[in-house]
Structures are given as structure tokens and as C-alpha cells.
Amino acid sequence: MIFLKNNDEINKLRACNLIVLEVLDTLESLIKEGISTYELDKYAEEMTIKKGAQPAFKGYRGFPASLCISLNDEVVHGIPSKKRIIKSGDIVSIDYGVYLHGYYGDSARTVGVGNISDEAKKLIRVTREALDLGIEQCRVGNRLGDISFAIESHAKKYTFGVVRDFVGHGIGRNLHEDPQIPNYGAAHSGLLLQKGMVFAIEPMFNLGTEKVCIQEDEWTAVTLDHSISAHFEHSVAILDKGPFILSKL
Ligand code: MG
Ligand code: MG
């Protein structure tokens, strides 16, 4: 079931996502050679609690940390660890969510550390662009497939693999609500978009195969061919005047 949000609810979702934005900005400034993924998780958690919110992912279906942090060939759901030290050349995906006053915020981005390859730079840029192109389709009267198609088409231009095992989602009083938003699909197909729908749109592109597998920790998704992967996500409300990106200033 899809829940349409009124203005009051959209304001609450905005408040959640502004905290997510602030945490991600802070983490991005802290991501340097030598820091552990555990330290980044602690920063995120402490910042969130100081603001009176709660980390949304901690304990969600048993996830053991606040921050999902996925390096290089890891696609999503990497678990922070004291043993995992960031080094130059890594690409680091940070995915964060908070819960505040009954609502959720969710956003993600991928950053390069030190000298990263030109291929990695391109993968990061194109995945970010695909998110923007998907968001641009979040308009009353469009269809869900328009979002999916815009994202997939951009990846295809560069022959990147579009992850199919994980998708975007509605967000509101629940972290994950209907509808599912695949990063692939046909234009002019599927659900008719309406005012008050709020979506977390999250393309995940791989340099190689679209196929992923889950590590022994039962969480971390990695590319099957160990090629690198990038992930960008925004929470977006559909308004009469067009998309309102809740997790961006
Ligand atoms: Mg997320
Ligand atoms: Mg999400």
C-alpha cells in the first residue's frame, strides 16, 4: 500500500533528511586515509543522538551498526569495523538513515579517497548523474517506470552494470514502504505518480557485472566479479511543482 504524505508529514520527513544530510557531509569530510569504518559509524551515531534523533539502520532486521559503509567492490550494507581502515584509492559508499518524530530519512553517496582511477571517477559521476535524472522524472502524471528508465538508460550509455537485487523504495513512517523502485525498467509503464508520494531513489552501478553476492557476514553485498560499485540515494517528495529533494539543501 502506498501512503500519500500531506504537507505536515513532508516537513517531518524534511527534518529527518536534513539530519541525514548533515551526517553525510560530516562523514565525507572525515573520510581520509587511516580512519576506520568503525570510527565513522560512531561519529554518525553520536551526531544523530545529539540532535535528538535515532540511527535508523541499527537493529533494522538485525543490522549491527548505525552506518552502512561499503568499500570498492562492496555494493551496499557493509558493516563498520575497527579492522577496516580506509586507504588512498578506495571508493567509499556511505548510506545513512535516521528516525525522528515518527518518520524516516535515508540518503547515500560514494566518495573517492586520495588518488582514485579515472574509471572510478567516471563510475561515481555517472551514478550521481543517474540519480539526478531519476529525480527529474518525479513529477505528477509521470509513471514509476520513467524514473527506472532514466536511471538505467544513463548506465547503459557507459556499459555499467545496474544492480537488480536492490531497489529504491517509498519512505515515510516506515524506512521501506511501497512502491519498490527498480533502477531498470520501461518508460511510461507502472504506477502513476501522484502528489505526496515520497521515494528513496538509489541507483547502484557496477564497473562490471550487475550480479552481486552476499558475504559470510550475511549483510555485505559485493559484486560477483569484484569490480567496483557506486551508490547514490536521495529521499524525494513529489509536489505539484515537481520533485522536492528532502536530503539536499
Ligand atoms: Mg539508504
Ligand atoms: Mg534506501
Side-chain angles (χ1 to χ4, degrees):
M1 179 174 180
I2 295 168
F3 301 103
L4 300 179
K5 282 81 178 180
N6 62 29
N7 286 345
D8 176 57
E9 290 179 292
I10 288 171
N11 288 337
K12 286 179 172 147
L13 286 160
R14 173 68 160 164
C16 298
N17 279 292
L18 287 179
I19 298 173
V20 174
L21 171 65
E22 207 176 324
V23 169
L24 289 177
D25 282 348
T26 303
L27 294 180
E28 185 171 346
S29 72
L30 290 167
I31 291 177
K32 299 247 158 59
E33 202 171 4
I35 194 165
S36 72
T37 59
Y38 171 87
E39 286 169 89
L40 294 164
D41 179 61
K42 289 299 146 209
Y43 274 112
E45 190 171 304
E46 279 165 23
M47 271 187 78
T48 305
I49 290 166
K50 259 187 204 160
K51 296 194 168 286
Q54 287 164 39
F57 301 163
K58 198 167 191 177
Y60 184 82
R61 294 185 181 165
F63 189 75
S66 295
L67 176 69
C68 290
I69 183 159
S70 310
L71 275 55
N72 303 321
D73 63 342
E74 296 168 355
V75 180
V76 284
H77 305 158
I79 300 172
S81 161
K82 286 181 182 171
K83 290 182 205 154
R84 202 74 192 276
I85 310 296
I86 306 273
K87 55 186 195 311
S88 181
D90 283 341
I91 70 165
V92 180
S93 298
I94 43 177
D95 186 357
Y96 198 62
V98 309
Y99 175 78
L100 177 70
H101 303 321
Y103 291 83
Y104 285 93
D106 190 6
S107 179
R109 64 181 75 160
T110 299
V111 297
V113 184
N115 288 321
I116 62 167
S117 67
D118 288 343
E119 274 183 325
K121 282 179 194 159
K122 197 201 300 182
L123 179 69
I124 291 171
R125 174 179 60 78
V126 170
T127 311
R128 189 178 53 230
E129 288 168 354
L131 173 58
D132 292 340
L133 292 167
I135 291 169
E136 184 49 39
Q137 295 300 318
C138 289
R139 294 179 183 276
V140 174
N142 277 1
R143 292 189 178 269
L144 194 71
D146 294 320
I147 302 172
S148 305
F149 179 77
I151 292 170
E152 184 183 24
S153 314
H154 199 55
K156 275 186 170 170
K157 280 185 219 158
Y158 299 87
T159 67
F160 293 147
V162 178
V163 173
R164 300 174 86 90
D165 289 4
F166 302 97
V167 296
H169 51 92
I171 184 166
R173 285 186 172 274
N174 308 284
L175 180 58
H176 296 116
E177 295 184 351
D178 289 338
Q180 293 199 345
I181 307 164
N183 295 306
Y184 55 90
H188 317 305
S189 73
L191 179 77
L192 189 62
L193 304 185
Q194 292 177 58
K195 180 190 175 185
M197 288 180 174
V198 181
F199 296 158
I201 301 171
E202 45 182 319
M204 291 151 243
F205 291 174
N206 303 339
L207 196 60
T209 179
E210 69 196 35
K211 293 200 167 60
V212 304
C213 61
I214 307 297
Q215 299 280 63
E216 276 174 11
D217 63 18
E218 294 182 353
W219 277 105
T220 314
V222 299
T223 57
L224 205 57
D225 59 4
H226 296 292
S227 64
I228 55 171
S229 183
H231 178 206
F232 282 84
E233 176 179 28
H234 274 308
S235 295
V236 182
I238 300 177
L239 305 181
D240 279 330
K241 60 187 176 194
F244 173 29
I245 306 176
L246 300 169
S247 45
K248 189 175 173 178
L249 282 180

